[in-house]
Amino acid sequence: MKADKIILGVLGGVAVGALLGVLFAPEKGDKTRKKIMDKSNDYADELKDKLDTLLGSITQKYEKIWKEGESLVSEGKSKFYDAKNEGEALLAEGKSKFYDAKNEIKNTNI
């Protein structure tokens, strides 16, 4: 949202500046138009530089967030598989104890 306001402000400034330049120009039309064109080009270049900077900043933030997301997913997968393996080990241990108890009961003469 802030970038939109900057762009609109710059474009509005260019338009107002061009209008005021034409209205209050003490020079001939050709020279005035050339000055307006030069100023417009200067403002356009400045706006392009700001947009490039903004785009670079957004790209860097996006890449940083993407890498952090990948890291979190990787960490989550690792924790999931660790928990799964631990659960499987506990299940195997429980089954083993169950069968041992079952066999002990079977072998007991009551």
Side-chain angles (χ1 to χ4, degrees):
M1 178 87 74
K2 187 176 180 182
D4 294 342
K5 291 181 182 180
I6 291 171
I7 292 169
L8 288 175
V10 170
L11 292 175
V14 168
V16 169
L19 180 63
L20 290 175
V22 170
L23 291 176
F24 296 106
E27 298 175 344
K28 290 184 178 184
D30 291 340
K31 288 184 180 182
T32 301
R33 284 190 294 275
K34 179 158 176 40
K35 280 186 177 182
I36 291 171
M37 184 60 89
D38 290 343
K39 278 291 187 187
S40 297
N41 288 336
D42 290 344
Y43 287 134
D45 290 341
E46 185 179 332
L47 178 61
K48 183 184 177 300
D49 290 342
K50 286 184 180 184
L51 288 174
D52 287 343
T53 302
L54 178 65
L55 182 60
S57 175
I58 290 171
T59 301
Q60 287 176 346
K61 288 179 182 179
Y62 172 78
E63 288 173 355
K64 180 182 176 186
I65 290 170
W66 185 265
K67 287 179 183 177
E68 288 176 1
E70 286 179 333
S71 176
L72 286 173
V73 167
S74 176
E75 184 180 336
K77 282 182 180 180
S78 176
K79 287 182 179 182
F80 170 78
Y81 287 120
D82 289 347
K84 179 184 172 200
N85 291 336
E86 186 177 333
E88 287 174 346
L90 287 172
L91 180 62
E93 182 182 342
K95 282 182 179 180
S96 174
K97 287 182 180 181
F98 171 77
Y99 288 122
D100 289 346
K102 180 180 171 185
N103 287 333
E104 188 177 322
I105 292 170
K106 212 183 218 185
N107 293 331
T108 306
N109 292 332
I110 296 181

